[in-house]
Short mmCIF file of all heavy atoms in Angstrom, two decimals:
data_model
loop_
_atom_site.label_atom_id
_atom_site.label_comp_id
_atom_site.label_asym_id
_atom_site.label_seq_id
_atom_site.Cartn_x
_atom_site.Cartn_y
_atom_site.Cartn_z
N PRO A 113 15.74 11.72 28.26
CA PRO A 113 15.78 12.02 26.80
C PRO A 113 16.30 13.43 26.57
O PRO A 113 16.16 14.31 27.45
CB PRO A 113 14.35 11.89 26.36
CG PRO A 113 13.55 12.07 27.63
CD PRO A 113 14.41 11.61 28.75
N PRO A 114 16.81 13.70 25.39
CA PRO A 114 17.24 15.09 25.07
C PRO A 114 16.10 16.07 25.06
O PRO A 114 14.94 15.66 24.81
CB PRO A 114 17.85 14.94 23.69
CG PRO A 114 17.74 13.53 23.28
CD PRO A 114 17.01 12.79 24.31
N ASP A 115 16.42 17.34 25.30
CA ASP A 115 15.36 18.41 25.26
C ASP A 115 14.96 18.69 23.84
O ASP A 115 13.85 19.18 23.61
CB ASP A 115 15.88 19.63 25.96
CG ASP A 115 16.10 19.44 27.43
OD1 ASP A 115 15.27 18.68 28.05
OD2 ASP A 115 17.00 20.07 28.01
N ALA A 116 15.83 18.47 22.90
CA ALA A 116 15.56 18.76 21.46
C ALA A 116 16.61 18.13 20.58
O ALA A 116 17.67 17.75 21.05
CB ALA A 116 15.48 20.28 21.25
N ALA A 117 16.27 18.03 19.29
CA ALA A 117 17.22 17.61 18.30
C ALA A 117 17.26 18.67 17.21
O ALA A 117 16.26 19.22 16.84
CB ALA A 117 16.82 16.23 17.67
N ILE A 118 18.47 19.03 16.79
CA ILE A 118 18.62 20.05 15.77
C ILE A 118 18.68 19.36 14.41
O ILE A 118 19.43 18.42 14.17
CB ILE A 118 19.92 20.84 16.00
CG1 ILE A 118 19.80 21.61 17.33
CG2 ILE A 118 20.19 21.82 14.83
CD1 ILE A 118 21.07 22.26 17.73
N ALA A 119 17.82 19.84 13.52
CA ALA A 119 17.77 19.30 12.17
C ALA A 119 18.16 20.34 11.14
O ALA A 119 17.54 21.41 11.06
CB ALA A 119 16.36 18.77 11.89
N THR A 120 19.18 20.05 10.34
CA THR A 120 19.69 20.98 9.38
C THR A 120 19.22 20.69 7.98
O THR A 120 19.58 21.44 7.07
CB THR A 120 21.22 21.02 9.40
OG1 THR A 120 21.74 19.74 9.21
CG2 THR A 120 21.71 21.58 10.79
N SER A 121 18.45 19.62 7.79
CA SER A 121 17.92 19.31 6.48
C SER A 121 16.89 18.19 6.67
O SER A 121 16.85 17.53 7.69
CB SER A 121 19.02 18.80 5.52
OG SER A 121 19.52 17.57 5.97
N GLY A 122 16.06 18.03 5.61
CA GLY A 122 15.13 16.93 5.64
C GLY A 122 15.82 15.57 5.72
O GLY A 122 15.34 14.67 6.36
N SER A 123 16.99 15.46 5.06
CA SER A 123 17.67 14.20 5.11
C SER A 123 18.22 13.89 6.52
O SER A 123 18.32 12.73 6.93
CB SER A 123 18.82 14.13 4.07
OG SER A 123 19.78 15.11 4.34
N THR A 124 18.54 14.92 7.28
CA THR A 124 18.94 14.77 8.67
C THR A 124 17.82 14.13 9.45
O THR A 124 18.00 13.21 10.26
CB THR A 124 19.36 16.09 9.27
OG1 THR A 124 20.44 16.63 8.55
CG2 THR A 124 19.75 15.91 10.73
N VAL A 125 16.60 14.62 9.25
CA VAL A 125 15.43 14.10 9.95
C VAL A 125 15.15 12.66 9.55
O VAL A 125 14.91 11.80 10.41
CB VAL A 125 14.17 14.99 9.65
CG1 VAL A 125 12.98 14.45 10.38
CG2 VAL A 125 14.41 16.42 10.05
N ARG A 126 15.19 12.40 8.26
CA ARG A 126 15.00 11.03 7.77
C ARG A 126 16.08 10.08 8.30
O ARG A 126 15.80 8.94 8.72
CB ARG A 126 14.99 10.99 6.25
CG ARG A 126 13.72 11.68 5.66
CD ARG A 126 13.62 11.48 4.17
NE ARG A 126 14.74 12.06 3.41
CZ ARG A 126 14.86 13.31 3.02
NH1 ARG A 126 13.85 14.16 3.30
NH2 ARG A 126 15.86 13.69 2.32
N GLY A 127 17.34 10.54 8.37
CA GLY A 127 18.37 9.71 8.90
C GLY A 127 18.24 9.42 10.38
O GLY A 127 18.49 8.29 10.82
N LEU A 128 17.82 10.40 11.13
CA LEU A 128 17.59 10.22 12.58
C LEU A 128 16.48 9.16 12.75
O LEU A 128 16.62 8.25 13.56
CB LEU A 128 17.18 11.52 13.21
CG LEU A 128 16.76 11.47 14.67
CD1 LEU A 128 17.89 10.96 15.56
CD2 LEU A 128 16.27 12.85 15.16
N LEU A 129 15.42 9.29 11.99
CA LEU A 129 14.32 8.34 12.12
C LEU A 129 14.75 6.92 11.65
O LEU A 129 14.38 5.95 12.27
CB LEU A 129 13.09 8.77 11.36
CG LEU A 129 11.79 7.99 11.56
CD1 LEU A 129 11.44 7.91 13.05
CD2 LEU A 129 10.67 8.57 10.75
N ALA A 130 15.53 6.84 10.59
CA ALA A 130 15.98 5.50 10.12
C ALA A 130 16.84 4.86 11.14
O ALA A 130 16.73 3.63 11.39
CB ALA A 130 16.75 5.66 8.81
N LEU A 131 17.71 5.60 11.78
CA LEU A 131 18.54 5.02 12.87
C LEU A 131 17.69 4.56 14.03
O LEU A 131 17.87 3.44 14.53
CB LEU A 131 19.58 6.04 13.36
CG LEU A 131 20.46 5.61 14.50
CD1 LEU A 131 21.28 4.36 14.16
CD2 LEU A 131 21.37 6.76 14.92
N ALA A 132 16.72 5.36 14.42
CA ALA A 132 15.82 5.01 15.49
C ALA A 132 15.01 3.76 15.14
O ALA A 132 14.83 2.89 16.03
CB ALA A 132 14.89 6.13 15.77
N GLU A 133 14.58 3.61 13.90
CA GLU A 133 13.86 2.44 13.49
C GLU A 133 14.72 1.19 13.57
O GLU A 133 14.27 0.12 14.01
CB GLU A 133 13.27 2.59 12.08
CG GLU A 133 12.14 3.59 12.04
CD GLU A 133 11.66 3.93 10.62
OE1 GLU A 133 12.37 3.62 9.66
OE2 GLU A 133 10.55 4.52 10.54
N ARG A 134 15.99 1.30 13.18
CA ARG A 134 16.91 0.15 13.27
C ARG A 134 17.08 -0.32 14.71
O ARG A 134 17.32 -1.51 14.98
CB ARG A 134 18.29 0.51 12.68
CG ARG A 134 18.27 0.63 11.15
CD ARG A 134 19.62 0.89 10.63
NE ARG A 134 20.46 -0.25 10.85
CZ ARG A 134 21.78 -0.25 10.63
NH1 ARG A 134 22.37 0.81 10.25
NH2 ARG A 134 22.47 -1.37 10.88
N LEU A 135 16.98 0.62 15.66
CA LEU A 135 17.14 0.30 17.07
C LEU A 135 15.78 0.10 17.75
O LEU A 135 15.71 -0.09 18.97
CB LEU A 135 17.91 1.45 17.77
CG LEU A 135 19.31 1.72 17.23
CD1 LEU A 135 19.86 3.00 17.84
CD2 LEU A 135 20.20 0.51 17.48
N ASP A 136 14.71 0.11 16.96
CA ASP A 136 13.33 -0.04 17.48
C ASP A 136 12.98 1.00 18.50
O ASP A 136 12.39 0.70 19.54
CB ASP A 136 13.12 -1.48 18.02
CG ASP A 136 11.64 -1.81 18.13
OD1 ASP A 136 10.88 -1.28 17.31
OD2 ASP A 136 11.27 -2.61 19.02
N HIS A 137 13.38 2.26 18.25
CA HIS A 137 13.08 3.38 19.14
C HIS A 137 12.40 4.53 18.41
O HIS A 137 12.48 5.69 18.86
CB HIS A 137 14.37 3.88 19.81
CG HIS A 137 14.91 2.97 20.83
ND1 HIS A 137 14.32 2.85 22.07
CD2 HIS A 137 15.95 2.12 20.86
CE1 HIS A 137 14.97 1.96 22.79
NE2 HIS A 137 15.96 1.48 22.06
N GLN A 138 11.75 4.25 17.29
CA GLN A 138 11.18 5.32 16.50
C GLN A 138 10.18 6.16 17.28
O GLN A 138 10.13 7.37 17.10
CB GLN A 138 10.61 4.78 15.13
CG GLN A 138 9.53 3.78 15.29
CD GLN A 138 9.99 2.37 15.32
OE1 GLN A 138 11.15 2.08 15.71
NE2 GLN A 138 9.17 1.42 14.93
N GLU A 139 9.33 5.56 18.09
CA GLU A 139 8.33 6.36 18.78
C GLU A 139 8.96 7.23 19.85
O GLU A 139 8.54 8.37 20.04
CB GLU A 139 7.26 5.44 19.40
CG GLU A 139 6.40 4.76 18.33
CD GLU A 139 5.86 5.71 17.25
OE1 GLU A 139 5.34 6.80 17.60
OE2 GLU A 139 5.94 5.38 16.07
N SER A 140 9.96 6.75 20.59
CA SER A 140 10.62 7.57 21.58
C SER A 140 11.42 8.71 20.91
O SER A 140 11.43 9.84 21.43
CB SER A 140 11.50 6.73 22.49
OG SER A 140 12.52 6.10 21.81
N VAL A 141 11.99 8.47 19.76
CA VAL A 141 12.70 9.54 19.06
C VAL A 141 11.74 10.55 18.53
O VAL A 141 12.02 11.76 18.57
CB VAL A 141 13.60 8.91 17.93
CG1 VAL A 141 14.14 10.03 16.99
CG2 VAL A 141 14.76 8.20 18.55
N ARG A 142 10.57 10.14 18.05
CA ARG A 142 9.60 11.09 17.54
C ARG A 142 9.07 12.02 18.65
O ARG A 142 8.54 13.07 18.35
CB ARG A 142 8.40 10.40 16.97
CG ARG A 142 8.66 9.89 15.52
CD ARG A 142 7.35 9.47 14.89
NE ARG A 142 7.56 9.00 13.54
CZ ARG A 142 7.54 7.74 13.17
NH1 ARG A 142 7.27 6.74 14.03
NH2 ARG A 142 7.75 7.41 11.90
N ARG A 143 9.23 11.63 19.89
CA ARG A 143 8.81 12.52 21.03
C ARG A 143 9.82 13.60 21.31
O ARG A 143 9.49 14.52 22.10
CB ARG A 143 8.58 11.70 22.31
CG ARG A 143 7.30 10.84 22.17
CD ARG A 143 6.88 10.29 23.50
NE ARG A 143 7.79 9.27 24.03
CZ ARG A 143 7.74 7.95 23.79
NH1 ARG A 143 6.76 7.48 23.02
NH2 ARG A 143 8.66 7.15 24.29
N ILE A 144 10.98 13.56 20.68
CA ILE A 144 12.02 14.63 20.89
C ILE A 144 11.63 15.77 19.95
O ILE A 144 11.59 15.58 18.75
CB ILE A 144 13.41 14.12 20.54
CG1 ILE A 144 13.78 12.94 21.44
CG2 ILE A 144 14.44 15.24 20.68
CD1 ILE A 144 15.04 12.20 21.00
N PRO A 145 11.40 17.00 20.47
CA PRO A 145 11.09 18.13 19.62
C PRO A 145 12.27 18.45 18.66
O PRO A 145 13.41 18.35 19.07
CB PRO A 145 10.84 19.25 20.60
CG PRO A 145 10.60 18.62 21.93
CD PRO A 145 11.37 17.34 21.87
N LEU A 146 11.91 18.85 17.47
CA LEU A 146 12.97 19.24 16.50
C LEU A 146 13.10 20.74 16.48
O LEU A 146 12.11 21.50 16.57
CB LEU A 146 12.54 18.82 15.11
CG LEU A 146 12.63 17.34 14.73
CD1 LEU A 146 12.30 17.14 13.27
CD2 LEU A 146 14.01 16.77 15.01
N ILE A 147 14.33 21.17 16.33
CA ILE A 147 14.62 22.55 16.03
C ILE A 147 15.13 22.55 14.60
O ILE A 147 16.17 21.94 14.31
CB ILE A 147 15.68 23.14 16.99
CG1 ILE A 147 15.13 23.08 18.41
CG2 ILE A 147 16.04 24.58 16.57
CD1 ILE A 147 16.15 23.44 19.47
N ALA A 148 14.33 23.12 13.71
CA ALA A 148 14.60 23.05 12.25
C ALA A 148 15.29 24.28 11.73
O ALA A 148 15.01 25.38 12.19
CB ALA A 148 13.29 22.83 11.50
N ILE A 149 16.16 24.12 10.74
CA ILE A 149 16.83 25.23 10.16
C ILE A 149 15.96 26.06 9.21
O ILE A 149 16.29 27.16 8.88
CB ILE A 149 18.13 24.79 9.43
CG1 ILE A 149 19.07 25.95 9.21
CG2 ILE A 149 17.82 24.03 8.17
CD1 ILE A 149 20.48 25.61 8.94
N GLY A 150 14.85 25.52 8.77
CA GLY A 150 13.96 26.30 7.87
C GLY A 150 12.64 25.57 7.67
O GLY A 150 12.37 24.53 8.25
N THR A 151 11.81 26.14 6.82
CA THR A 151 10.47 25.64 6.64
C THR A 151 10.38 24.27 6.00
O THR A 151 9.57 23.46 6.35
CB THR A 151 9.62 26.63 5.75
OG1 THR A 151 10.27 26.89 4.54
CG2 THR A 151 9.42 27.97 6.48
N GLU A 152 11.28 24.02 5.00
CA GLU A 152 11.28 22.69 4.37
C GLU A 152 11.67 21.60 5.35
O GLU A 152 11.08 20.54 5.39
CB GLU A 152 12.21 22.68 3.15
CG GLU A 152 11.66 23.54 2.01
CD GLU A 152 12.60 23.59 0.83
OE1 GLU A 152 13.45 22.67 0.69
OE2 GLU A 152 12.46 24.52 0.01
N THR A 153 12.68 21.87 6.17
CA THR A 153 13.09 20.88 7.16
C THR A 153 11.99 20.68 8.23
O THR A 153 11.68 19.54 8.59
CB THR A 153 14.39 21.34 7.88
OG1 THR A 153 15.39 21.55 6.85
CG2 THR A 153 14.89 20.35 8.87
N ALA A 154 11.36 21.74 8.62
CA ALA A 154 10.24 21.66 9.60
C ALA A 154 9.10 20.86 8.97
O ALA A 154 8.52 19.99 9.66
CB ALA A 154 9.78 23.03 10.04
N ALA A 155 8.79 21.09 7.75
CA ALA A 155 7.72 20.36 7.06
C ALA A 155 8.01 18.84 6.97
O ALA A 155 7.14 18.02 7.18
CB ALA A 155 7.44 20.94 5.71
N GLU A 156 9.26 18.51 6.68
CA GLU A 156 9.67 17.10 6.58
C GLU A 156 9.56 16.49 7.97
O GLU A 156 9.10 15.34 8.13
CB GLU A 156 11.04 16.97 5.99
CG GLU A 156 11.49 15.55 5.81
CD GLU A 156 10.73 14.74 4.79
OE1 GLU A 156 9.72 15.27 4.16
OE2 GLU A 156 11.14 13.58 4.54
N GLY A 157 10.03 17.18 9.00
CA GLY A 157 9.91 16.68 10.37
C GLY A 157 8.50 16.44 10.74
O GLY A 157 8.13 15.38 11.31
N ALA A 158 7.61 17.37 10.45
CA ALA A 158 6.19 17.21 10.82
C ALA A 158 5.58 16.04 10.02
O ALA A 158 4.79 15.26 10.57
CB ALA A 158 5.47 18.52 10.55
N ARG A 159 5.94 15.91 8.77
CA ARG A 159 5.42 14.84 7.93
C ARG A 159 5.82 13.48 8.51
O ARG A 159 5.03 12.53 8.47
CB ARG A 159 5.98 14.96 6.51
CG ARG A 159 5.42 13.92 5.50
CD ARG A 159 6.08 14.01 4.15
NE ARG A 159 7.43 13.48 4.11
CZ ARG A 159 7.71 12.17 4.10
NH1 ARG A 159 6.74 11.26 4.12
NH2 ARG A 159 8.97 11.73 4.08
N LEU A 160 6.98 13.40 9.14
CA LEU A 160 7.48 12.13 9.69
C LEU A 160 7.01 11.94 11.15
O LEU A 160 7.38 10.98 11.77
CB LEU A 160 8.98 12.10 9.60
CG LEU A 160 9.56 12.01 8.22
CD1 LEU A 160 11.07 12.17 8.20
CD2 LEU A 160 9.15 10.70 7.55
N GLY A 161 6.22 12.87 11.66
CA GLY A 161 5.60 12.68 12.98
C GLY A 161 6.32 13.38 14.14
O GLY A 161 5.98 13.13 15.27
N PHE A 162 7.28 14.26 13.83
CA PHE A 162 7.95 14.94 14.91
C PHE A 162 7.19 16.25 15.22
O PHE A 162 6.60 16.86 14.36
CB PHE A 162 9.38 15.36 14.47
CG PHE A 162 10.38 14.23 14.36
CD1 PHE A 162 10.49 13.49 13.24
CD2 PHE A 162 11.13 13.90 15.44
CE1 PHE A 162 11.38 12.49 13.15
CE2 PHE A 162 12.08 12.89 15.38
CZ PHE A 162 12.16 12.16 14.25
N ALA A 163 7.28 16.67 16.49
CA ALA A 163 6.79 18.00 16.88
C ALA A 163 7.90 18.96 16.58
O ALA A 163 9.08 18.69 16.83
CB ALA A 163 6.44 18.03 18.35
N ILE A 164 7.55 20.15 16.08
CA ILE A 164 8.55 21.17 15.79
C ILE A 164 8.62 22.10 17.01
O ILE A 164 7.64 22.80 17.29
CB ILE A 164 8.22 21.93 14.49
CG1 ILE A 164 8.00 20.96 13.34
CG2 ILE A 164 9.33 22.95 14.19
CD1 ILE A 164 9.19 20.01 13.08
N GLY A 165 9.73 22.08 17.67
CA GLY A 165 9.89 22.93 18.87
C GLY A 165 10.23 24.37 18.49
O GLY A 165 9.76 25.29 19.13
N ALA A 166 11.02 24.54 17.44
CA ALA A 166 11.42 25.91 17.00
C ALA A 166 11.92 25.78 15.58
O ALA A 166 12.24 24.71 15.08
CB ALA A 166 12.50 26.45 17.92
N MET A 167 12.01 26.95 14.94
CA MET A 167 12.50 27.00 13.58
C MET A 167 13.36 28.28 13.44
O MET A 167 12.95 29.35 13.88
CB MET A 167 11.34 27.01 12.57
CG MET A 167 11.83 26.91 11.16
SD MET A 167 10.47 26.78 9.94
CE MET A 167 9.53 28.25 10.30
N ALA A 168 14.50 28.15 12.80
CA ALA A 168 15.34 29.28 12.56
C ALA A 168 14.69 30.24 11.60
O ALA A 168 13.95 29.83 10.72
CB ALA A 168 16.70 28.81 11.95
N THR A 169 14.97 31.53 11.78
CA THR A 169 14.36 32.55 10.93
C THR A 169 15.05 32.64 9.55
O THR A 169 14.49 33.21 8.63
CB THR A 169 14.44 33.96 11.60
OG1 THR A 169 15.83 34.20 11.90
CG2 THR A 169 13.60 33.95 12.88
N ARG A 170 16.24 32.10 9.45
CA ARG A 170 16.96 32.04 8.16
C ARG A 170 17.89 30.83 8.22
O ARG A 170 18.22 30.35 9.28
CB ARG A 170 17.66 33.32 7.85
CG ARG A 170 18.77 33.69 8.80
CD ARG A 170 19.27 35.13 8.59
NE ARG A 170 20.46 35.38 9.34
CZ ARG A 170 20.52 35.46 10.67
NH1 ARG A 170 19.46 35.32 11.37
NH2 ARG A 170 21.64 35.71 11.29
N GLN A 171 18.42 30.44 7.09
CA GLN A 171 19.30 29.25 7.08
C GLN A 171 20.75 29.68 7.29
O GLN A 171 21.52 29.89 6.35
CB GLN A 171 19.12 28.52 5.74
CG GLN A 171 17.84 27.86 5.62
CD GLN A 171 17.71 26.98 4.38
OE1 GLN A 171 18.51 27.04 3.51
NE2 GLN A 171 16.68 26.14 4.39
N ALA A 172 21.09 29.83 8.58
CA ALA A 172 22.42 30.26 8.98
C ALA A 172 22.69 29.69 10.37
O ALA A 172 21.81 29.45 11.13
CB ALA A 172 22.54 31.78 8.97
N VAL A 173 24.01 29.49 10.61
CA VAL A 173 24.39 28.90 11.90
C VAL A 173 23.91 29.75 13.05
O VAL A 173 23.35 29.25 14.03
CB VAL A 173 25.92 28.75 11.97
CG1 VAL A 173 26.37 28.34 13.37
CG2 VAL A 173 26.40 27.76 10.93
N GLY A 174 24.10 31.04 12.98
CA GLY A 174 23.59 31.93 14.03
C GLY A 174 22.14 31.88 14.25
O GLY A 174 21.63 31.93 15.42
N ALA A 175 21.38 31.75 13.17
CA ALA A 175 19.92 31.69 13.31
C ALA A 175 19.47 30.41 13.99
O ALA A 175 18.55 30.42 14.81
CB ALA A 175 19.25 31.86 11.95
N ILE A 176 20.09 29.31 13.68
CA ILE A 176 19.67 28.06 14.35
C ILE A 176 20.16 28.04 15.77
O ILE A 176 19.49 27.51 16.66
CB ILE A 176 20.07 26.77 13.55
CG1 ILE A 176 19.18 25.60 14.01
CG2 ILE A 176 21.53 26.43 13.72
CD1 ILE A 176 19.02 24.49 13.04
N ALA A 177 21.29 28.67 16.06
CA ALA A 177 21.78 28.81 17.45
C ALA A 177 20.76 29.68 18.24
O ALA A 177 20.43 29.32 19.35
CB ALA A 177 23.17 29.42 17.47
N ASP A 178 20.29 30.73 17.63
CA ASP A 178 19.31 31.62 18.30
C ASP A 178 18.00 30.87 18.54
O ASP A 178 17.39 30.95 19.62
CB ASP A 178 19.00 32.86 17.50
CG ASP A 178 20.19 33.83 17.45
OD1 ASP A 178 21.09 33.73 18.31
OD2 ASP A 178 20.19 34.73 16.56
N ALA A 179 17.56 30.09 17.54
CA ALA A 179 16.29 29.31 17.73
C ALA A 179 16.47 28.28 18.82
O ALA A 179 15.56 28.09 19.67
CB ALA A 179 15.92 28.65 16.38
N THR A 180 17.64 27.66 18.87
CA THR A 180 17.89 26.66 19.91
C THR A 180 17.94 27.29 21.30
O THR A 180 17.29 26.79 22.25
CB THR A 180 19.25 25.95 19.63
OG1 THR A 180 19.17 25.35 18.33
CG2 THR A 180 19.52 24.89 20.70
N ALA A 181 18.64 28.42 21.41
CA ALA A 181 18.71 29.10 22.71
C ALA A 181 17.32 29.54 23.15
O ALA A 181 16.96 29.41 24.29
CB ALA A 181 19.64 30.30 22.59
N GLY A 182 16.56 30.08 22.21
CA GLY A 182 15.21 30.53 22.52
C GLY A 182 14.32 29.34 22.99
O GLY A 182 13.57 29.48 23.97
N TYR A 183 14.42 28.24 22.30
CA TYR A 183 13.59 27.09 22.67
C TYR A 183 13.99 26.51 24.02
O TYR A 183 13.11 26.18 24.82
CB TYR A 183 13.68 26.02 21.59
CG TYR A 183 12.84 24.82 21.95
CD1 TYR A 183 11.50 24.82 21.78
CD2 TYR A 183 13.44 23.64 22.47
CE1 TYR A 183 10.69 23.72 22.14
CE2 TYR A 183 12.67 22.57 22.84
CZ TYR A 183 11.32 22.61 22.67
OH TYR A 183 10.55 21.54 23.03
N LEU A 184 15.30 26.46 24.27
CA LEU A 184 15.74 25.89 25.54
C LEU A 184 15.75 26.87 26.66
O LEU A 184 16.06 26.49 27.81
CB LEU A 184 17.17 25.31 25.34
CG LEU A 184 17.27 24.14 24.33
CD1 LEU A 184 18.69 23.71 24.16
CD2 LEU A 184 16.37 22.98 24.78
N GLY A 185 15.43 28.15 26.39
CA GLY A 185 15.26 29.10 27.47
C GLY A 185 16.53 29.77 27.87
O GLY A 185 16.61 30.31 28.95
N ALA A 186 17.57 29.74 27.04
CA ALA A 186 18.81 30.42 27.40
C ALA A 186 18.58 31.92 27.39
O ALA A 186 17.95 32.47 26.48
CB ALA A 186 19.88 30.01 26.42
N THR A 187 19.10 32.60 28.38
CA THR A 187 18.90 34.00 28.49
C THR A 187 20.18 34.84 28.41
O THR A 187 20.15 36.03 28.31
CB THR A 187 18.22 34.37 29.83
OG1 THR A 187 19.00 33.86 30.90
CG2 THR A 187 16.81 33.78 29.90
N GLU A 188 21.34 34.18 28.46
CA GLU A 188 22.57 34.92 28.32
C GLU A 188 23.62 34.11 27.62
O GLU A 188 23.49 32.85 27.50
CB GLU A 188 23.09 35.32 29.70
CG GLU A 188 23.40 34.13 30.62
CD GLU A 188 23.80 34.59 32.01
OE1 GLU A 188 22.98 35.17 32.68
OE2 GLU A 188 24.97 34.33 32.35
N GLU A 189 24.61 34.78 27.06
CA GLU A 189 25.66 34.05 26.34
C GLU A 189 26.59 33.31 27.30
O GLU A 189 26.80 33.74 28.41
CB GLU A 189 26.50 35.12 25.56
CG GLU A 189 25.68 35.85 24.53
CD GLU A 189 26.29 35.72 23.17
OE1 GLU A 189 27.40 35.22 23.01
OE2 GLU A 189 25.64 36.22 22.24
N PRO A 190 27.04 32.14 26.87
CA PRO A 190 28.00 31.44 27.73
C PRO A 190 29.30 32.16 27.87
O PRO A 190 29.67 32.96 26.97
CB PRO A 190 28.22 30.07 27.01
CG PRO A 190 27.67 30.28 25.62
CD PRO A 190 26.73 31.46 25.64
N THR A 191 29.99 32.00 28.95
CA THR A 191 31.25 32.72 29.19
C THR A 191 32.44 31.78 29.02
O THR A 191 32.28 30.61 29.02
CB THR A 191 31.30 33.34 30.61
OG1 THR A 191 31.07 32.32 31.53
CG2 THR A 191 30.27 34.43 30.70
#
């Protein structure tokens, strides 16, 4: 399974879960930690049963990249 899923909106989280439900994999998908772009997205993910692995400090591409790198344990920039 993936180490995490990046969620950029509540609708992204709902869409991921809807797709998983169509494939009868909702419980396995809910076990994938979410990296949320902000508090509202994290709250929607939690409401739908996802664990929140990390949350960006602001709603920007760089912030979600930093949150992802921090969650996944990246320590240096790719070359």
Side-chain angles (χ1 to χ4, degrees):
D115 293 326
I118 297 172
T120 56
S121 68
S123 63
T124 301
V125 180
R126 291 187 299 276
L128 175 62
L129 188 56
L131 176 60
E133 287 173 346
R134 288 184 66 191
L135 300 171
D136 198 28
H137 287 286
Q138 60 270 25
E139 292 311 313
S140 59
V141 167
R142 280 191 180 108
R143 288 193 292 270
I144 301 169
L146 287 183
I147 299 171
I149 197 161
T151 56
E152 291 178 20
T153 303
E156 183 68 355
R159 184 185 75 77
L160 293 172
F162 288 89
I164 306 304
M167 186 174 59
T169 57
R170 63 191 191 291
Q171 291 186 347
V173 172
I176 201 156
D178 289 344
T180 302
Y183 180 76
L184 297 177
T187 57
E188 59 184 66
E189 297 235 356
T191 55

